[in-house]
Amino acid sequence: SQKIEQNSEALNIQEGKTATLTCNYTNYSPAYLQWYRQDPGRGPVFLLLIRENEKEKRKERLKVTFDTTLKQSLFHITASQPADSATYLCALASRAGKLIFGQGTTLQVKP
Amino acid sequence: DTAVSQTPKYLVTQMGNDKSIKCEQNLGHDTMYWYKQDSKKFLKIMFSYNNKELIINETVPNRFSPKSPDKAHLNLHINSLELGDSAVYFCASSQESIQRLKTQYFGPGTRLLVL
């Protein structure tokens, strides 16, 4: 069956460092992959999308890579700030547009 | 201005009751969704409507019935509530595009607690 795995343990880093979050998947060939941010008590907010034929996407301090051979996406936040503390969800999308979400990784950036 | 809104924000009810959650989007999108997020934070799709037509219907008990009176609204009615229905329910919307790149916009969630 289709499976998406994100690090269930919280990631704690120091302010100014680069945070790297991992999303692995099996038994799936997504058309594209999305990353969302979710703050406590709120709905997820879209951050970035990367297509199956793209290797890397950037937006300000965010960078996403997508390796369809390894079946893995990495999400990087450079020069991290305490305001970046949140849960980050990866979501795989079929060509029909149906999204399957991972369980998310909680990032804590300490000042 | 709220893009995707849900009511109520909190819902506490007894087992066996029937309840409804309402969702409205003012983004002009043509597709709306209901998701359930359980205590382990997994976000799972339940239903999806495109132009008021049901297009995704996951393995959800028949007690859950979505209704879309128009493109801007998607309501969720739950009959005979059970303890296991306790979760956060999110509504979302997106705009179908030629490339089917569906960025989804989520509502604030409805926290349902069944006692």
Side-chain angles (χ1 to χ4, degrees), chain A residues 32 34 36 38 41-44 46 49 51 89 95-99 101-103, chain B residues 35 37 40-43 45 56 58 90 99-104 106-108 111:
Chain A
Y32 56 92
Q34 297 182 349
Y36 287 78
Q38 186 173 21
R42 294 179 176 267
F46 170 77
L49 178 151
R51 296 182 180 83
L89 307 169
R95 280 167 182 77
K98 175 181 166 184
L99 287 184
F101 282 85
Q103 80 271 35
Chain B
Y35 287 87
Q37 189 170 43
K40 293 184 179 179
K41 304 300 182 185
F42 274 104
L43 196 60
I45 189 163
I56 294 176
E58 291 299 290
F90 286 101
Q99 296 173 323
R100 293 182 177 273
L101 298 179
K102 294 184 178 181
T103 298
Q104 297 191 11
F106 285 80
R111 284 137 193 87

Side-chain angles (χ1 to χ4, degrees), chain A residues 37-108:
Chain A
R37 169 181 172 146
Q38 186 173 21
D39 291 284
R42 294 179 176 267
V45 175
F46 170 77
L47 296 174
L48 278 171
L49 178 151
I50 186 166
R51 296 182 180 83
E52 59 180 334
N53 59 353
E54 296 176 319
K55 296 292 184 188
E56 183 179 299
K57 208 73 169 288
R58 290 175 185 261
K59 180 183 175 183
E60 297 173 352
R61 294 185 296 112
L62 308 180
K63 184 178 85 171
V64 172
T65 63
F66 194 12
D67 189 326
T68 54
T69 302
L70 289 178
K71 294 187 183 296
Q72 181 183 77
S73 175
L74 298 178
F75 177 78
H76 306 272
I77 305 176
T78 57
S80 60
Q81 305 165 0
D84 295 327
S85 299
T87 296
Y88 292 86
L89 307 169
C90 76
L92 303 181
S94 67
R95 280 167 182 77
K98 175 181 166 184
L99 287 184
I100 300 176
F101 282 85
Q103 80 271 35
T105 297
T106 298
L107 172 67
Q108 187 71 36

Side-chain angles (χ1 to χ4, degrees), chain B residues 89-106:
Chain B
Y89 292 84
F90 286 101
C91 176
S93 72
S94 68
Q95 179 60 41
E96 183 83 12
S97 68
I98 296 173
Q99 296 173 323
R100 293 182 177 273
L101 298 179
K102 294 184 178 181
T103 298
Q104 297 191 11
Y105 294 78
F106 285 80

